[in-house]
């Protein structure tokens, strides 16, 4: 019988890629890992099962000094792309819901403000978001416009020193409670997409006409809530239009800059379930011996690790190219597509290896598996990413 002393701890960094991290990147990796293991993992299953966001974790999360990741200044750490990848990877190893909060708040909302806002607008909103004194959201997706978000129908018209906005948004993470929401609408004057900031007043109320409802019944990312938002003649000050957003091309700049986070998240989910499966195979006995001694199980683990290593190599190279300013939109799409596909497969393999025990939240695998279903959908489905790469290969667009 295999004892604890005999059991081998499986490495999920098989090609020793973390050996090339800088000291700063190692420090960021380790403090996020410690936070995730000590504060997230012990409580997250209960929040996940109740479909409740663990707001109690926000104050210690703010203390890590990671909010805003690659943004320079305004109280943000200005870290490298690889360090930002470590944040997403290590948080996702514990939980995808909290990582999605980071993606929405730190990457999409703050990233949009940083890329599209004027200097005055950045100073106005980014510092409080960096301290999580306020939380953020990013309202782009609509009920009838997900993959074709370029065709969004929410519209805005200028009325003196105000903008009047009407429309419908859906699947907006944190969109029911966020203090600062970057919302996209089509300018009725020229038909171009503009960005606006919706914010709560001092009493914690949204502007009249902003009506969010929490979406219920999800089977993935249950500890982060998404809103369905009906907007009727909502009035915003002219100063709340982000000055750098003139068309959907500017929206795409934000999406390209943040797409890497979803790929790194997929790596985190895959690392977690591989480690769980490898350990389980050595402790689970059937027919008088550990299932790790069976050829089929070893083959399954070897292939899981091979796919995981491919994911890690892709993300590492993506981060290197991004830091050089050389990453293309098609390259980012390929990495997101590949890591989502491989991450889902690895999670499914781990679930099957654990058998019935893989269905129990206490073993974590099923939570990672259903969360990976979400990762494969948001920030561009596999099909849409494939078409972006296909357009780059052939020079022909299949979706215009």
């Amino acid at each position: 019988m295999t004892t604890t002393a005999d059991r081998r701890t499986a490495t999920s960094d098989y090609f020793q890629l973390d050996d090339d991290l800088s000291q700063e990147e190692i420090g960021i990796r380790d403090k996020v890992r410690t936070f995730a293991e000590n504060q997230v993992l012990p409580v997250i299953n209960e929040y996940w099962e109740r479909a409740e966001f663990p707001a109690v974790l926000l104050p210690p999360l703010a203390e890590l000094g990671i909010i805003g990741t690659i943004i320079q200044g305004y109280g943000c750490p200005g870290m490298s792309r690889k360090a930002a990848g470590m944040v997403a990877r290590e948080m996702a190893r514990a939980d995808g819901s909290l990582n999605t909060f980071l993606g929405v708040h730190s990457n999409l909302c703050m990233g949009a403000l940083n890329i599209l806002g004027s200097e005055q607008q950045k100073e106005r909103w980014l510092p409080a978001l960096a301290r999580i004194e306020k939380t953020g959201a990013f309202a782009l997706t609509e009920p009838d416009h997900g993959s074709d978000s370029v065709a969004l129908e929410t519209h805005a018209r200028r009325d003196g020193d105000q903008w009047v906005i009407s429309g419908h948004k859906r699947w907006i993470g944190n969109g029911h409670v966020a203090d600062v929401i970057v919302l996209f609408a089509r300018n009725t004057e020229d038909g171009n997409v503009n960005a606006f900031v919706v914010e709560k007043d001092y009493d914690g109320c949204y502007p009249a006409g902003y009506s969010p409802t929490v979406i219920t019944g999800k089977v993935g990312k249950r500890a982060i809530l998404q809103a369905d938002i009906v907007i009727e003649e909502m009035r915003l000050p002219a100063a709340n239009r982000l000055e750098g957003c003139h068309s959907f091309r500017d929206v795409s700049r934000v999406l390209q800059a943040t797409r890497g986070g979803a790929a790194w998240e997929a790596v985190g989910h895959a690392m977690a379930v591989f480690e769980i499966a490898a350990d389980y195979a050595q402790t689970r006995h059937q027919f008088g011996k550990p299932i790790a001694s069976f050829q089929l199980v070893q083959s399954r683990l070897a292939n899981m690790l091979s796919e995981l290593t491919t994911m890690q190599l892709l993300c590492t190279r993506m981060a290197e190219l991004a830091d050089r300013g050389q990453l293309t939109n098609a390259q980012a799409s390929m990495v997101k597509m590949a890591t989502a596909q491989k991450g889902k497969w690895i999670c499914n393999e781990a679930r099957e290896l654990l058998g019935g025990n893989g269905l129990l939240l206490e073993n974590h695998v099923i939570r990672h598996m259903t969360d990976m279903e979400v990762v494969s959908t948001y920030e561009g489905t596999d099909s849409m990413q494939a078409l972006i790469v296909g357009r780059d290969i052939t020079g022909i667009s299949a979706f215009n």
Side-chain angles (χ1 to χ4, degrees):
M1 176 174 280
T2 303
T3 66
T4 302
D6 296 330
R7 190 163 71 237
R8 177 172 296 182
T9 301
T11 176
S12 56
D13 181 22
Y14 203 61
F15 271 47
Q16 303 169 348
L17 293 172
D18 279 11
D19 290 355
D20 292 332
L21 296 175
S22 69
Q23 286 303 308
E24 179 184 7
E25 290 162 350
I26 290 172
I28 291 168
R29 178 200 66 185
D30 290 350
K31 69 180 177 181
V32 176
R33 181 177 293 181
T34 299
F35 169 79
E37 291 179 350
N38 294 343
Q39 300 198 53
V40 179
L41 271 178
V43 302
I44 195 58
N45 282 343
E46 297 175 9
Y47 283 99
W48 193 95
E49 192 162 24
R50 293 197 304 265
E52 178 184 335
F53 180 70
V56 67
L57 295 176
L58 292 185
L61 179 62
E63 293 175 4
L64 294 180
I66 60 172
I67 305 302
T69 58
I70 65 172
I71 298 173
Q72 300 280 347
Y74 315 103
C76 302
M79 61 181 68
S80 70
R81 298 281 181 163
K82 196 177 292 184
M86 293 300 104
V87 171
R89 188 189 84 178
E90 293 302 321
M91 197 64 72
R93 282 179 74 181
D95 176 59
S97 294
L98 198 59
N99 186 67
T100 291
F101 168 82
L102 284 178
V104 168
H105 173 90
S106 187
N107 295 344
L108 287 170
C109 177
M110 293 180 68
L113 291 169
N114 185 57
I115 293 172
L116 305 177
S118 67
E119 187 62 31
Q120 184 178 11
Q121 290 171 327
K122 295 177 191 180
E123 291 285 0
R124 177 180 172 185
W125 288 302
L126 286 176
L129 291 167
R131 296 188 296 268
I132 318 186
E133 292 174 0
K134 295 183 177 181
T135 60
F138 183 88
L140 174 63
T141 302
E142 299 183 354
D144 295 326
H145 301 288
S147 293
D148 69 337
S149 55
V150 67
L152 63 85
E153 297 179 49
T154 298
H155 57 273
R157 60 180 173 83
R158 185 70 181 259
D159 183 17
D161 60 355
Q162 293 184 322
W163 287 91
V164 183
I165 303 175
S166 296
H168 194 174
K169 298 293 182 180
R170 187 167 174 82
W171 294 113
I172 309 305
N174 214 32
H176 63 301
V177 292
D179 302 288
V180 178
I181 302 163
V182 178
L183 182 144
F184 297 91
R186 192 172 301 282
N187 189 328
T188 57
E189 182 177 347
D190 59 15
N192 285 322
V193 174
N194 291 171
F196 303 86
V197 174
V198 180
E199 50 186 340
K200 288 181 176 177
D201 62 22
Y202 292 109
D203 294 324
C205 298
Y206 288 117
Y210 183 93
S211 303
T213 303
V214 172
I215 297 171
T216 60
K218 292 189 304 171
V219 297
K221 299 283 183 123
R222 287 176 54 80
I224 180 71
L225 306 181
Q226 281 80 30
D228 183 274
I229 305 167
V230 176
I231 305 162
E232 297 178 310
E233 295 288 294
M234 175 180 65
R235 289 182 172 269
L236 298 178
N240 282 35
R241 187 186 75 81
L242 294 184
E243 295 182 12
C245 187
H246 305 288
S247 70
F248 196 83
R249 186 180 299 275
D250 294 315
V251 184
S252 296
R253 289 165 53 207
V254 177
L255 298 176
Q256 180 180 353
T258 60
R259 189 169 290 138
W264 280 109
E265 179 184 349
V267 171
H269 287 301
M271 289 175 71
V273 298
F274 170 75
E275 292 161 0
I276 293 167
D279 183 70
Y280 182 86
Q282 296 177 76
T283 57
R284 173 68 169 172
H285 286 69
Q286 291 289 281
F287 306 103
K289 55 185 177 181
I291 63 172
S293 65
F294 298 137
Q295 292 178 359
L296 289 176
V297 171
Q298 291 194 10
S299 175
R300 176 168 270 169
L301 289 171
N303 280 281
M304 288 167 67
L305 183 55
S306 175
E307 293 293 84
L308 170 57
T309 301
T310 300
M311 295 168 67
Q312 293 167 333
L313 288 165
L314 282 169
C315 283
T316 299
R317 182 58 174 164
M318 174 182 66
E320 292 169 350
L321 290 172
D323 276 336
R324 295 177 193 170
Q326 297 175 344
L327 184 70
T328 69
N329 192 33
Q331 288 171 330
S333 289
M334 175 178 282
V335 176
K336 202 279 181 176
M337 175 186 70
T339 52
Q341 291 173 345
K342 294 177 187 300
K344 282 178 61 177
W345 181 83
I346 292 170
C347 286
N348 186 65
E349 289 290 289
R351 213 296 292 164
E352 290 188 2
L353 193 149
L354 267 67
N357 289 327
L359 298 172
L360 297 175
L361 273 179
E362 67 186 56
N363 293 318
H364 301 292
V365 168
I366 195 64
R367 177 166 51 79
H368 286 290
M369 180 179 172
T370 57
D371 285 357
M372 262 308 306
E373 289 289 339
V374 183
V375 177
S376 71
T377 299
Y378 67 23
E379 297 199 38
T381 64
D382 293 354
S383 296
M384 290 307 300
Q385 306 298 356
L387 294 180
I388 292 171
V389 177
R391 179 178 61 189
D392 197 50
I393 294 169
T394 65
I396 302 170
S397 176
F399 52 88
N400 283 343

